[in-house]
Amino acid sequence: MVHYIESIALFGAPNGLCSSITETRHISAVKKPWRRSSRFNALAQVLITNQRLEKLSACRQDFTRRGMLSGSPYTEVHQELLQLSVPNPEDLQGDDAPAGVLNHVVLAKSKGILISPDGNQ
Amino acid sequence: MTARKFPSNFTDLGLRTNHNLITLVQHFLYDQLHPDSELPGCAVEPTLLPSLESTVAVFPSAIATFFAPSDVSGKCGLYRQRIRATPLWRRGDIPAPRYDTILVSTGDDADGFCGTHVARVKLFFSFNHEDIEYPCVLVEWFERIADAPEEETGMWLVQPELTPRNTRHASVIHLDTVLRGVHLLPYFGDQFVPVELHYSRTLDNFRYFYVNKYIDYHAFETVV
């Protein structure tokens, strides 16, 4: 504690502390949640908001550690498809031909209706 | 505007089209039921054609999904487009009928454009026969004018295909033979286009059309 005087005289602040540390947290933990609140029982709303933010952050860290947040549901399938070698068409005949299709057409889901612009047939 | 459903029987539905719908569906069904027959349905004795007993459902459009990695497409390069055939399409600047043009696979081994036919969709419909559902398209055919694309533009030219009796040549085909929608540009020639001609009537008012291969990357690779 005693060397704080020296530290302030030399560096302008004790122990390398800076008020911006608390200021930044004030914004994200107090000002933003308050602005998002309905101002009714604001403190309670702010506290709940902060609780939920912490839970979200913990969740995100856990998922990242488990590797759940890299890529997408299609990533694995995509990797598998990339590894399949495209067979030479000349080598395939009849039943050996690839079963994949290059295109697919389906009818619309809802049926057509007849409308005439002038109300007649 | 009054809205009604399309007729659900072939007879009344056929009256709405300019073609002999029942006969065309019978030809189609014969070919489906007898794929190894020597004669195609259109050449068979009418008494041997299957009778149609089910109701028909009409659809305003179909969705074609195909592999087009060079285009703006979804994951894994699949591109989706909607092909429309409806008597009143409201989204244009005036509500008008919209019957899109498509590429139909011919099933033979020819590559590129020669393995396809251009056709105009007049009706999307489906019906049942002996517990199998057949999604079908009534199309009016176009035919190639030459054996190669036009030199100046690099695009193929087609014209509406006519029967010996000078009516549009039409057929009913299975939806699975449809490849994708295709864009036809009119061959303007050296004449002026009437100002009153609205774009929704283009396909009915010109004699020849270019098959537009420049409309997207997949078309450029397919209509070769």
Side-chain angles (χ1 to χ4, degrees), chain B residues 101-105 113 116-118 177-182 222-223:
Chain B
T101 43
I102 54 172
L103 273 184
V104 179
S105 166
F113 187 61
T116 66
H117 282 313
V118 174
T177 56
V178 174
L179 284 175
R180 54 163 288 162
V182 73
T222 313
V223 184

Side-chain angles (χ1 to χ4, degrees), chain A residues 71-75 77-78 81 101-121, chain B residues 1-6 16 57-67 75 82 87-88 90 124 126 135 175 178-179:
Chain A
S72 83
Y74 303 109
T75 314
V77 179
H78 198 219
L81 286 176
V101 290
L102 284 177
N103 78 310
H104 183 56
V105 190
V106 291
L107 289 171
K109 280 211 176 126
S110 46
K111 305 204 180 143
I113 42 177
L114 277 176
I115 301 181
S116 50
D118 51 357
N120 299 334
Q121 208 293 347
Chain B
M1 298 193 190
T2 49
R4 309 191 315 275
K5 294 190 199 159
F6 276 89
R16 288 200 57 82
V58 176
F59 299 87
S61 61
I63 305 170
T65 312
F66 47 87
F67 185 61
K75 210 110 190 176
R82 198 175 269 269
L88 191 72
R90 301 203 219 225
F124 285 113
S126 82
L175 195 64
V178 174
L179 284 175

Side-chain angles (χ1 to χ4, degrees), chain A residues 2-39:
Chain A
V2 295
H3 51 285
Y4 275 12
I5 305 170
E6 271 187 48
S7 164
I8 294 173
L10 284 171
F11 304 114
N15 213 11
L17 296 169
C18 175
S19 64
S20 62
I21 301 171
T22 52
E23 273 171 40
T24 3
R25 276 293 275 148
H26 181 79
I27 301 174
S28 56
V30 176
K31 288 170 84 171
K32 282 197 171 150
W34 182 82
R35 287 169 184 170
R36 297 211 300 251
S37 74
S38 69
R39 315 304 155 88

Side-chain angles (χ1 to χ4, degrees), chain B residues 48-157:
Chain B
L48 295 174
L49 293 172
S51 60
L52 308 170
E53 276 139 19
S54 96
T55 52
V56 204
V58 176
F59 299 87
S61 61
I63 305 170
T65 312
F66 47 87
F67 185 61
S70 320
D71 283 293
V72 174
S73 53
K75 210 110 190 176
C76 306
L78 288 182
Y79 183 80
R80 216 164 48 179
Q81 62 175 198
R82 198 175 269 269
I83 307 166
R84 290 177 167 85
T86 171
L88 191 72
W89 187 65
R90 301 203 219 225
R91 273 292 185 95
D93 53 342
I94 59 169
R98 178 170 167 168
Y99 298 98
D100 288 345
T101 43
I102 54 172
L103 273 184
V104 179
S105 166
T106 55
D108 54 34
D109 287 329
D111 271 338
F113 187 61
C114 297
T116 66
H117 282 313
V118 174
R120 189 167 187 201
V121 179
K122 294 309 271 191
L123 198 70
F124 285 113
F125 62 99
S126 82
F127 66 96
N128 275 330
H129 184 84
E130 284 168 11
D131 283 335
I132 304 181
E133 184 168 340
Y134 294 95
C136 307
V137 199
L138 171 67
V139 295
E140 288 175 352
W141 297 107
F142 285 76
E143 57 183 358
R144 285 199 291 277
I145 292 178
D147 288 328
E150 195 205 46
E151 274 186 34
E152 269 182 75
T153 55
M155 295 195 276
W156 289 87
L157 275 165

